Amino acid sequence: MSQKLNLRWWGAMGLCVALSAVAQEQPGDFQSRVPLSLSGEGPWYRLELALAVQLRASQTDLRDIRVFNAAGEPQAYALARQQAQATEQRSLSAVKWFPLYNAAQAGDTPATVRVQSGTNGTLVEVQPEARPQAGQAVLRGWLLDASAIKAPLQQLILDWSSEHDGFQRFSIEASDDLQHWQAWGEGQVARLSFADERVEQHEVALPGQSARYLRLLWKTPQTAPALTSAQLQSSTTSSQPSPLVWSQPLVGATAKPGEYSWQLPMGLNVERVRIELKQANSLAPARLYGRRESNQPWQPLGNGLLYRLTQNGQDVQQNELQLPGQVVQQLRLVVDERGGGLGAEAPPLAFAVRGAQLVFLARGTGPYTLALGNPGVSAANLPLSTLIPDYSPQRLKELGQARIEDAGQLAAPAGVAVATPVAPGRDWKKVGLWAVLLLGVLALGGMAFSLLRKPQAGS
C-alpha cells in the first residue's frame, strides 16, 4: 500500500510540474513576433521601440511585450521611457589678471585697491589705494577679470614663472561688484622637479557658480608667484526633450461641417498632432478635444491657428498643435469656418508620442525574438536598477544594441496607423490548465488525508 501511495504521489507531482511548464508563456502565445539582431557588447541590450512596434501591443502600458531566446525561454527585461537629454557645453577663456600688493607689515589683510573699469565692466586698471614705499611692497595675490564670461565657472587653470617651484596654496573669493566677496574655498597648484622627472598641476576646481571677478590670495604672501597665464573653464547645461516618434496618418470622420474626429488604436500620451492641409491658402482657427472612452465627455487639449498660405511664391504652413501629453484614444477638432474651413472630408491626422526603450538581459543562445500582442498576460518587466545592478543614464548609453531585422513584418496597413488592438479577454487555455493543476493538488491532498486516517496494521 505504501509503495502504491508513493507512486501516486510522484505521479501527481510530475503532473503538477508538467502543467506548470505548459502554462509558461511561449512565443506562439503572442500575435506578433519578429527576430532581433544584436550588436555591441552584452549581456544587456537595448532596443528602441518604434511607434509601429508599440502599437502592436495589446496593452497600453506594453505589459504584453516579451523577448525569447532560441529555446523559447523568456528573457528578463525592463522598459524605459526616454527621458529628457541633458547636454553640457564647456568653453575655455583666457582672462586678464592684476596683481594685488600689500605693505609688508600688513600681514594677511587683503589689499585695498582702486579699480578702473570700462563701460562693459571689464577691468582696465587695478592699483593699490596707498602705494607701498619702494622695497616694502609684497605681492599678496591676484585679481582675475571674469566679467566677459556669463556661464557658471567650473575650473581655474594657472601658469606661473618657473622660479617659483613647489606647492602654491591660496584662497579663492568671488565678487560681482569688487566690494562684497564670497568665499569659494581654497586652491592648490604645484610644480615639482625631482631628478629628471617633472610633475605639474595647473587646474583648480571651482564650485560651478557665476561671478564677475575672482580674488586669489596666497596663504604666505612671500611665496606668491608671478602669473604668466590665467584661464577659466565655464559650462552651460541645457535640457533637450527626448525625440518624438510620429504615427502614420489616420483617416478621420466628419460629424458635421467644421467638426472632425479620429480614433486612435489605443490610449496614448499624445504630445503633438499634425493635420494635413491639402488645399493651398487654407486658414482655420481650431480647437482640439480628447477623451479615453466614447461615454466620457470631451476635454479641451489645445487650440491654435492652422494655415497653409502662399507668400512670395513659397508655401508657408503651420499644421501642428501642441498637447499636454495626457492619455487619449479619441480626438475631435472643431474649426471656425469663417476662415474657410478644411473641407468636407476629415483631413488625415498624425500624432506623436515620446519614444520608449526595451532593455533585456540576453540568456541562453540566439537568435532572440521580440513578441507582443497578448491581452491576457500580466506585466513581467523589472526596474532598470534591478536588471542592471550598476545602472546609470551613462551606463544605459553604453549597452549593446538590438534591432528588428525586418521592420516590414510590423508595418501598418496602408491608410491606417495600426490595426485596432484586441480587447482584453480571458485566456481559457490557461484557465483550464490551472484548473487541472488545482484538481491534481486536491487529489494529492485527499490521498494524504486518507493515508493519515487509515489505522496502522497490528495497532
Side-chain angles (χ1 to χ4, degrees), residues 163-176:
E163 61 266 18
H164 288 81
D165 284 357
F167 292 97
Q168 304 292 333
R169 296 183 178 89
F170 49 89
S171 63
I172 306 173
E173 298 175 350
S175 175
D176 288 329

Side-chain angles (χ1 to χ4, degrees), residues 200-255:
E200 297 188 0
Q201 177 187 338
H202 297 263
E203 299 82 11
V204 177
L206 298 178
Q209 302 177 25
S210 297
R212 294 175 62 85
Y213 311 104
L214 295 183
R215 185 166 69 180
L216 313 181
L217 300 177
W218 259 248
K219 293 296 184 180
T220 53
Q222 294 78 9
T223 63
L227 293 186
T228 59
S229 172
Q231 295 176 300
L232 287 171
Q233 186 181 74
S234 59
S235 69
T236 55
T237 302
S238 60
S239 180
Q240 300 177 349
S242 59
L244 294 172
V245 288
W246 285 89
S247 72
Q248 295 295 320
L250 288 172
V251 177
T254 304

Side-chain angles (χ1 to χ4, degrees), residues 1 38 68 109 151 158 171 220 261 289 301 305 354-355 377 423 457:
M1 180 65 182
L38 307 183
F68 294 95
T109 304
L158 298 177
S171 63
T220 53
S261 61
Y289 300 84
L301 300 178
L305 179 63
R354 294 293 168 189
V377 299

Side-chain angles (χ1 to χ4, degrees), residues 400-421:
Q401 291 190 348
R403 292 182 176 84
I404 295 176
E405 290 187 352
D406 186 2
Q409 297 184 26
L410 292 170
V416 296
V418 293
T420 303

